Amino acid sequence: MSALFPTYQKWSIEPASASGSWLTDQNGKTYLDFTSGIGVLNLGHCHPYVKKAVQDQLEKFWHTSNLFESKGQEEAAGLLAQATGLDRVFFCNSGAEANEAAIKLARKATGKSKIVTFHQSFHGRTFATMAATGQEKVRMGYGRMLEEFEYCTYNDSEQLSKAVDENTAAVMLEVVQGEGGIHVANQDFLNTIKEVCSKKGTLIIVDEIQTGIGRTGTPFAFQHFEFDPDIITVAKGLGNGLPIGAVIGKEELAEHFGPGSHGSTFGGNPVSIASAKAVLQKILDNGFSAEVTEKGQYFLEKLNEDLQNEPSVKEVRGLGLMIGIELKEPAQALLEPLQQEGLLTLTAGPNVLRLLPPLTVEKTELDIAAEKIANAIKALPVVQS
C-alpha cells in the first residue's frame, strides 16, 4: 500500500530519464512528452544551459535566507521587470503562492476586498486561490471559502462591467485559460476590463502561471494584446522544473509590500534562482519568441488540416505552443491510447485535449505528434452532436 495521499490519479508510467522533448520510462519505452511537466519544462528536459547554471550554484551554496543580499535575485528580478515592463518582484515557490501574494497585495494596496475572477479559471489550491478559481469542483468539500470573490463569464464584457464596483480590489484573469479549456481572451473584453478598472480604481492581475515564460509566442501572453496589468504572476516555466514563482508589480505597489508585510522561507532559493535566470536569458534571447510563434502556427495549421473532417472534433484552438483540441466527448479517453503510441498529453476541462510541448520542440516532433493524435481520434467511436 502506498504511503502517499491519493491526490493524483497516477499513470502507469515511471520515468527513468529524459532529454529535450523525450522521456524514457523504467521499462525502456520512450515517449514524446507534450505535457512538459504541465507547462513547466518550456526549455525541455535537462536543458544543458539551465543544468550548468544549477550545477554551478550547487557548488557554491544551496540556501541562506532572504535576510541576505542576493545578486542572483536582483538579476532575475531585473530580467522579469525588463520583460514585463513592470518594476518590482517578489519570489516565492509556486503559482498558487504567487497568486496568493497577488491577492494580498491588491487588497492591501487598494484597501478594498472584492476580487472578480472568471468561470473556468484556475488560480491554485490554497484557500485564497481556490476561492479565486471559477470551478466549483476545486472548492467542493472544503467548507466556507475566503469571502468576496465574484465570478463572471469569460469574454462577457457586459457581465464584467456590472460586477466591478467601488469595493473591487482587482480583476484577476488568465488571458488564455489553461485548465479551463484553452480559451483565449478577445481584445474588446480586455478593453472593457481596462476601462472599468480605471474608473473604479481597481487593479488588474494577470495570472501568467501557465501562459508565461514564452509559452504563447511572446514572453508573456498579455503582450499579444493592448493591455496593461498592474500585477503579473508567474511560476511553472520560470524554473524549468525547479520550484519557483514570482509576483511582478508596478512601482507604486512597492510601499504596500514593505518589511514584514509578506515573506517566504524558500522563496528565491539560490538554486531555483540560478535556474530561473538561465531560463529567462534563453527565453528573452532575440529570435526565441519568433521561433515559438512559427512552430505554434505550424502545429495549429497541421492539426486543423489533419482533423478538419473528423466528426469527433469540435474545434482546434490555441496561442503559440499552448493548444487545445475540443472534442464532442471526454478527452480522457485519448490519453491512454496516445501513451501506448508513445505520446504524452493532458486534458483541460472535460472535453479538451491539451498540448503543451517544450518550446524547443522540433517541427519533425510536431509532425510525429500530429499523426499520432489524428490516428487516435480517428479510432474514437463517433459521437453525434
Side-chain angles (χ1 to χ4, degrees):
M1 185 178 74
S2 175
L4 296 170
F5 275 111
T7 51
Y8 290 90
Q9 188 172 348
K10 292 183 180 291
W11 298 338
S12 57
I13 299 169
E14 184 175 355
S17 63
S19 179
S21 302
W22 297 88
L23 180 146
T24 302
D25 71 12
Q26 295 288 346
N27 299 316
K29 181 172 181 176
T30 58
Y31 303 83
L32 189 54
D33 185 2
F34 274 37
T35 72
S36 297
I38 314 183
V40 167
L41 300 161
N42 285 7
L43 295 181
H45 292 278
C46 299
H47 191 282
Y49 187 73
V50 179
K51 182 178 179 179
K52 184 179 185 307
V54 170
Q55 288 175 331
D56 288 349
Q57 183 59 49
L58 283 169
E59 293 297 324
K60 298 174 184 176
F61 59 92
W62 301 355
H63 179 76
T64 52
S65 81
N66 284 310
L67 297 175
F68 291 84
E69 296 286 344
S70 171
K71 180 181 178 182
Q73 283 190 13
E74 292 287 354
E75 290 174 343
L79 289 169
L80 284 170
Q82 172 192 334
T84 59
L86 301 185
D87 307 288
R88 297 289 186 133
V89 177
F90 172 85
F91 287 110
C92 53
N93 304 291
S94 68
E97 286 187 28
N99 283 336
E100 184 94 18
I103 291 165
K104 286 179 64 175
L105 178 56
R107 286 184 165 184
K108 193 167 189 284
T110 62
K112 303 174 183 182
S113 300
K114 182 176 168 181
I115 309 287
V116 173
T117 68
F118 298 91
H119 295 298
Q120 300 174 286
S121 63
F122 183 83
H123 298 293
R125 295 184 184 274
T126 64
F127 259 88
T129 57
M130 278 196 300
T133 293
Q135 298 185 53
E136 181 61 29
K137 67 179 182 180
V138 172
R139 304 189 294 269
M140 287 177 62
Y142 293 103
R144 188 174 180 178
M145 288 290 109
L146 187 66
E147 294 182 347
E148 294 199 75
F149 285 83
E150 183 172 341
Y151 316 108
C152 294
T153 300
Y154 196 68
N155 276 331
D156 188 326
S157 294
E158 183 178 354
Q159 194 176 116
L160 182 278
S161 297
K162 293 177 181 177
V164 177
D165 58 27
E166 301 297 335
N167 188 45
T168 304
V171 171
M172 185 175 191
L173 76 153
E174 306 150 275
V175 294
V176 184
Q177 289 189 324
E179 304 291 329
I182 318 298
H183 298 286
V184 183
N186 64 59
Q187 185 65 61
D188 288 344
F189 175 60
L190 297 178
N191 289 344
T192 300
I193 292 175
K194 286 194 298 182
E195 181 181 350
V196 171
C197 287
S198 178
K199 287 180 179 177
K200 300 294 184 180
T202 296
L203 298 176
I204 299 171
I205 302 172
V206 173
D207 177 340
E208 293 266 8
I209 307 302
Q210 190 166 149
T211 55
I213 319 300
R215 170 58 55 185
T216 65
T218 52
F220 298 91
F222 80 90
Q223 292 165 334
H224 287 281
F225 306 92
E226 292 181 12
F227 202 47
D228 182 27
D230 300 287
I231 300 170
I232 299 165
T233 57
V234 296
K236 285 191 180 288
L238 180 57
N240 211 63
L242 273 73
I244 188 168
V247 181
I248 313 154
K250 291 183 174 179
E251 178 62 34
E252 54 264 33
L253 299 172
E255 64 179 289
H256 303 288
F257 251 19
S261 60
H262 195 56
S264 172
T265 297
F266 296 106
N269 171 277
V271 180
S272 293
I273 284 288
S275 180
K277 193 170 76 167
V279 168
L280 289 167
Q281 287 167 343
K282 286 294 181 182
I283 295 293
L284 301 178
D285 190 28
N286 288 336
F288 188 90
S289 290
E291 286 183 17
V292 174
T293 297
E294 181 188 358
K295 286 185 284 193
Q297 289 174 344
Y298 174 83
F299 195 34
L300 198 60
E301 289 170 6
K302 175 74 172 165
L303 289 168
N304 271 304
E305 180 182 342
D306 291 353
L307 301 173
Q308 62 182 334
N309 296 318
E310 289 303 317
S312 296
V313 176
K314 290 182 69 174
E315 185 182 16
V316 183
R317 58 179 178 262
L319 200 58
L321 285 169
M322 184 175 181
I323 292 174
I325 301 172
E326 185 172 358
L327 305 170
K328 295 176 182 176
E329 59 194 83
Q332 187 73 27
L334 280 174
L335 297 193
E336 189 172 344
L338 286 171
Q339 289 171 9
Q340 292 173 356
E341 293 302 315
L343 178 65
L344 303 176
T345 58
L346 299 163
T347 59
N351 294 345
V352 176
L353 186 71
R354 179 171 33 156
L355 306 172
L356 299 171
L359 307 185
T360 51
V361 68
E362 301 289 341
K363 282 188 177 179
T364 53
E365 295 168 337
L366 295 174
D367 290 338
I368 292 168
E371 182 179 3
K372 291 180 185 295
I373 290 165
N375 289 339
I377 289 175
K378 286 173 184 175
L380 289 172
V382 176
V383 175
Q384 299 300 322
S385 57

